[in-house]
Amino acid sequence: MGELLSIPGWLAVTLWVISALSIAMLYGFWSIRRAHRRVEASRPNPTKQQFIAMMEEDCSPEVSDFLWEKAVFYVEPRLTPHPDDDLILDLKIDEDDIAMDWPRDWAEQRGFHESNFPDWPNDWPGTIRNYGRWLDNSPTEPSPRT
């Protein structure tokens, strides 16, 4: 491949890999921006207080505050989270963060191990509201230290 460009082969491969990674990153950035613009056009951007008020029928203020802080990190400055947003489809938040990091962080704040969470109900869509309901179903008592 390098012979065609009159450069060493290792340099041609390196340039190809860098180009492919750059294109993939640009596509990801464009995809997230497009999804956020679509969501922004479809609903209002609540303030933190409005978000917590919208969530109060479904979960505790502590859970709402936790979810606000977690989600806003991913969507600022274009969006603010809304209870009906799908975390993956609308906000484009990485599934591993939602499935592994957020429960661990909540469990650590509450003094229990993340393995004590109940299973996610199969019939629940992955909205922020449902995620808050699920977090509120977590153990309320700290797990005993062994």
Side-chain angles (χ1 to χ4, degrees):
M1 184 155 103
E3 302 83 35
L4 295 173
L5 301 173
S6 301
I7 59 174
W10 66 267
L11 182 57
V13 170
T14 301
L15 291 174
W16 186 87
V17 168
I18 289 171
S19 297
L21 289 174
S22 296
I23 290 169
M25 288 175 57
L26 286 172
Y27 175 76
F29 179 75
W30 172 80
S31 174
I32 290 170
R33 293 278 298 191
R34 189 175 115 211
H36 286 180
R37 278 195 298 271
R38 180 180 44 79
V39 169
E40 182 182 28
S42 70
R43 55 122 173 118
N45 274 325
T47 64
K48 183 176 183 176
Q49 292 75 21
Q50 291 169 330
F51 174 82
I52 291 171
M54 288 183 210
M55 296 279 286
E56 73 184 349
E57 287 185 33
D58 298 295
C59 59
S60 67
E62 295 81 19
V63 165
S64 298
D65 186 63
F66 173 82
L67 289 174
W68 172 272
E69 296 301 327
K70 289 294 185 181
V72 81
F73 174 79
Y74 292 88
V75 298
E76 270 189 329
R78 295 177 292 278
L79 288 175
T80 59
H82 186 280
D84 298 325
D85 289 339
D86 186 290
L87 291 160
I88 297 170
L89 300 176
D90 295 330
L91 302 184
K92 300 291 186 183
I93 298 175
D94 184 50
E95 190 173 353
D96 287 343
D97 291 350
I98 297 165
M100 294 169 32
D101 296 343
W102 293 15
R104 182 186 59 238
D105 293 347
W106 178 253
E108 286 175 0
Q109 285 182 10
R110 296 294 181 210
F112 65 91
H113 193 271
E114 72 251 31
S115 65
N116 292 338
F117 273 104
D119 290 337
W120 180 267
N122 290 332
D123 58 333
W124 283 11
T127 64
I128 294 178
R129 184 181 313 277
N130 285 340
Y131 202 90
R133 290 171 53 205
W134 180 72
L135 288 178
D136 263 341
N137 284 328
S138 63
T140 55
E141 297 296 318
S143 53
R145 304 272 182 213
T146 54

